Amino acid sequence: METNYGSLLRKSLLEFQEGSISLARLVSDVDSIWESLEPSEAKDSIRGDWWTLEQVLAVDVIDRGLDTLPPDAAQQVAEALQGLETASRDLD
């Protein structure tokens, strides 16, 4: 049975948006999905958006210990989520 990585990615995005999983878990999920993909434009796009989330996680959550992201970081996360949503559709 073939894995639907687009569906898996959307599931993780939804869980994050609903607050069911943390940013750290989302970063891990996206990385795991990315590693399973064949080379493609969608894979490249996912990596770029993953990197944005990874940076916000490292700087704002881990280094600064923030529970609530500052507006600029929240905007970066929102844009990365939008990019990941788009890329997930390209994986279907």
Side-chain angles (χ1 to χ4, degrees):
M1 183 175 151
E2 190 172 316
T3 302
N4 184 331
Y5 293 109
S7 179
L8 285 175
L9 182 53
R10 286 189 297 278
K11 180 179 180 288
S12 290
L13 293 171
L14 182 60
E15 288 175 347
F16 175 74
Q17 291 166 329
E18 291 175 339
S20 301
I21 63 172
S22 66
L23 180 57
R25 171 65 189 272
L26 178 62
V27 166
S28 176
D29 287 357
V30 172
D31 189 48
S32 294
I33 292 167
W34 179 84
E35 288 179 5
S36 301
L37 297 173
E38 296 295 323
S40 67
E41 285 184 36
K43 183 174 183 174
D44 294 342
S45 175
I46 288 167
R47 196 53 161 187
D49 291 320
W50 169 86
W51 180 242
T52 298
L53 297 176
E54 174 71 19
Q55 288 179 306
V56 169
L57 175 65
V59 173
D60 293 306
V61 177
I62 296 172
D63 289 350
R64 293 171 144 175
L66 300 177
D67 291 328
T68 302
L69 296 176
D72 61 325
Q75 180 63 34
Q76 290 175 331
V77 168
E79 290 171 6
L81 295 177
Q82 200 169 31
L84 289 168
E85 179 71 31
T86 299
S88 77
R89 302 278 176 218
D90 293 338
L91 296 175
D92 288 338

